[in-house]
Short mmCIF file of all heavy atoms in Angstrom, two decimals:
data_model
loop_
_atom_site.label_atom_id
_atom_site.label_comp_id
_atom_site.label_asym_id
_atom_site.label_seq_id
_atom_site.Cartn_x
_atom_site.Cartn_y
_atom_site.Cartn_z
N LEU B 163 296.30 205.38 10.21
CA LEU B 163 295.21 204.50 10.61
C LEU B 163 293.96 205.25 10.14
O LEU B 163 293.00 204.45 9.72
CB LEU B 163 295.22 204.43 12.14
CG LEU B 163 296.36 203.62 12.73
CD1 LEU B 163 296.39 203.92 14.32
CD2 LEU B 163 296.18 202.11 12.35
N LEU B 164 293.87 206.48 10.14
CA LEU B 164 292.60 207.17 9.63
C LEU B 164 292.36 206.99 8.20
O LEU B 164 291.34 206.67 7.71
CB LEU B 164 292.70 208.69 9.99
CG LEU B 164 292.45 209.03 11.46
CD1 LEU B 164 292.84 210.47 11.71
CD2 LEU B 164 290.95 208.80 11.85
N LEU B 165 293.50 207.06 7.45
CA LEU B 165 293.43 206.87 6.02
C LEU B 165 292.96 205.40 5.70
O LEU B 165 292.13 205.21 4.84
CB LEU B 165 294.79 207.06 5.37
CG LEU B 165 295.23 208.45 5.21
CD1 LEU B 165 296.68 208.60 4.69
CD2 LEU B 165 294.37 209.31 4.19
N ASP B 166 293.44 204.49 6.39
CA ASP B 166 293.00 203.07 6.23
C ASP B 166 291.55 203.03 6.53
O ASP B 166 290.83 202.18 5.85
CB ASP B 166 293.74 202.15 7.21
CG ASP B 166 295.28 201.96 6.74
OD1 ASP B 166 295.56 202.32 5.62
OD2 ASP B 166 296.10 201.52 7.63
N ALA B 167 291.11 203.57 7.59
CA ALA B 167 289.75 203.62 7.95
C ALA B 167 288.81 204.15 6.92
O ALA B 167 287.70 203.58 6.56
CB ALA B 167 289.53 204.27 9.38
N PHE B 168 289.22 205.30 6.42
CA PHE B 168 288.37 205.93 5.29
C PHE B 168 288.31 204.98 4.12
O PHE B 168 287.39 204.76 3.53
CB PHE B 168 289.04 207.34 4.93
CG PHE B 168 288.68 208.43 5.78
CD1 PHE B 168 289.62 208.99 6.64
CD2 PHE B 168 287.35 208.88 5.94
CE1 PHE B 168 289.34 210.01 7.43
CE2 PHE B 168 286.98 209.90 6.77
CZ PHE B 168 287.99 210.50 7.62
N GLU B 169 289.58 204.45 3.79
CA GLU B 169 289.57 203.53 2.73
C GLU B 169 288.63 202.27 2.93
O GLU B 169 287.98 201.94 1.91
CB GLU B 169 291.07 203.09 2.49
CG GLU B 169 291.38 202.43 1.08
CD GLU B 169 292.78 201.96 0.99
OE1 GLU B 169 293.69 202.89 1.13
OE2 GLU B 169 293.02 200.72 0.72
N SER B 170 288.61 201.79 4.03
CA SER B 170 287.71 200.56 4.26
C SER B 170 286.28 201.03 4.22
O SER B 170 285.42 200.17 4.00
CB SER B 170 288.08 199.97 5.54
OG SER B 170 287.58 200.79 6.58
N LEU B 171 286.03 202.24 4.33
CA LEU B 171 284.56 202.69 4.14
C LEU B 171 284.23 203.12 2.77
O LEU B 171 283.28 203.54 2.36
CB LEU B 171 284.37 204.05 4.93
CG LEU B 171 284.28 203.83 6.47
CD1 LEU B 171 284.17 205.32 7.17
CD2 LEU B 171 283.26 202.97 6.95
N GLY B 172 285.36 202.98 1.91
CA GLY B 172 285.23 203.27 0.35
C GLY B 172 285.18 204.75 0.12
O GLY B 172 284.72 205.23 -0.95
N VAL B 173 285.81 205.54 1.06
CA VAL B 173 285.81 206.97 0.76
C VAL B 173 287.20 207.40 0.53
O VAL B 173 288.17 207.11 1.31
CB VAL B 173 285.30 207.63 2.07
CG1 VAL B 173 285.40 209.24 1.97
CG2 VAL B 173 283.82 207.28 2.51
N ASN B 174 287.35 208.21 -0.38
CA ASN B 174 288.70 208.69 -0.86
C ASN B 174 288.91 209.96 -0.16
O ASN B 174 288.08 210.87 -0.21
CB ASN B 174 288.77 208.86 -2.41
CG ASN B 174 290.01 209.21 -2.90
OD1 ASN B 174 291.11 208.72 -2.37
ND2 ASN B 174 290.15 210.12 -3.90
N VAL B 175 290.13 210.11 0.51
CA VAL B 175 290.36 211.35 1.18
C VAL B 175 291.61 212.04 0.60
O VAL B 175 292.54 211.32 0.32
CB VAL B 175 290.66 210.92 2.66
CG1 VAL B 175 291.25 212.29 3.41
CG2 VAL B 175 289.33 210.63 3.39
N LYS B 176 291.51 213.31 0.31
CA LYS B 176 292.60 213.93 -0.25
C LYS B 176 293.64 214.41 0.79
O LYS B 176 293.21 215.20 1.81
CB LYS B 176 292.06 215.13 -1.01
CG LYS B 176 293.15 215.91 -1.93
CD LYS B 176 292.46 216.90 -2.82
CE LYS B 176 293.42 217.96 -3.27
NZ LYS B 176 294.72 217.44 -3.86
N LEU B 177 294.90 214.08 0.78
CA LEU B 177 295.84 214.51 1.65
C LEU B 177 296.37 215.78 1.36
O LEU B 177 296.77 216.13 0.23
CB LEU B 177 297.00 213.48 1.78
CG LEU B 177 296.84 212.19 2.51
CD1 LEU B 177 298.01 211.33 2.31
CD2 LEU B 177 296.66 212.61 4.02
N VAL B 178 296.43 216.76 2.23
CA VAL B 178 296.80 218.21 2.00
C VAL B 178 297.97 218.52 2.97
O VAL B 178 297.68 218.72 4.18
CB VAL B 178 295.68 219.17 2.12
CG1 VAL B 178 296.30 220.58 1.90
CG2 VAL B 178 294.54 218.83 1.16
N ASP B 179 299.24 218.41 2.40
CA ASP B 179 300.29 218.82 3.37
C ASP B 179 300.38 220.40 3.44
O ASP B 179 300.75 221.02 2.42
CB ASP B 179 301.60 218.27 2.76
CG ASP B 179 302.86 218.53 3.63
OD1 ASP B 179 302.70 219.51 4.47
OD2 ASP B 179 303.80 217.81 3.52
N LEU B 180 300.09 220.90 4.55
CA LEU B 180 299.92 222.42 4.71
C LEU B 180 301.35 223.10 4.47
O LEU B 180 301.32 224.22 4.29
CB LEU B 180 299.31 222.78 6.02
CG LEU B 180 297.84 222.49 6.17
CD1 LEU B 180 297.37 222.87 7.53
CD2 LEU B 180 297.05 223.27 5.13
N ARG B 181 302.36 222.31 4.53
CA ARG B 181 303.73 222.98 4.26
C ARG B 181 303.85 223.28 2.85
O ARG B 181 304.88 224.03 2.52
CB ARG B 181 304.81 222.06 4.77
CG ARG B 181 304.80 221.68 6.20
CD ARG B 181 305.70 220.60 6.60
NE ARG B 181 305.28 219.34 6.12
CZ ARG B 181 305.79 218.22 6.40
NH1 ARG B 181 306.80 218.15 7.26
NH2 ARG B 181 305.38 217.03 5.91
N THR B 182 302.90 222.85 1.97
CA THR B 182 303.06 223.22 0.60
C THR B 182 301.93 224.09 0.03
O THR B 182 301.86 224.30 -1.25
CB THR B 182 303.00 221.86 -0.23
OG1 THR B 182 301.78 221.31 -0.05
CG2 THR B 182 304.11 220.86 0.27
#
Side-chain angles (χ1 to χ4, degrees):
Chain B
L163 293 168
L164 285 167
L165 285 174
D166 291 344
F168 281 113
E169 198 180 299
S170 74
L171 294 175
V173 176
N174 185 38
V175 168
K176 191 174 155 50
L177 279 174
V178 180
D179 186 339
L180 288 178
R181 294 170 294 188
T182 65

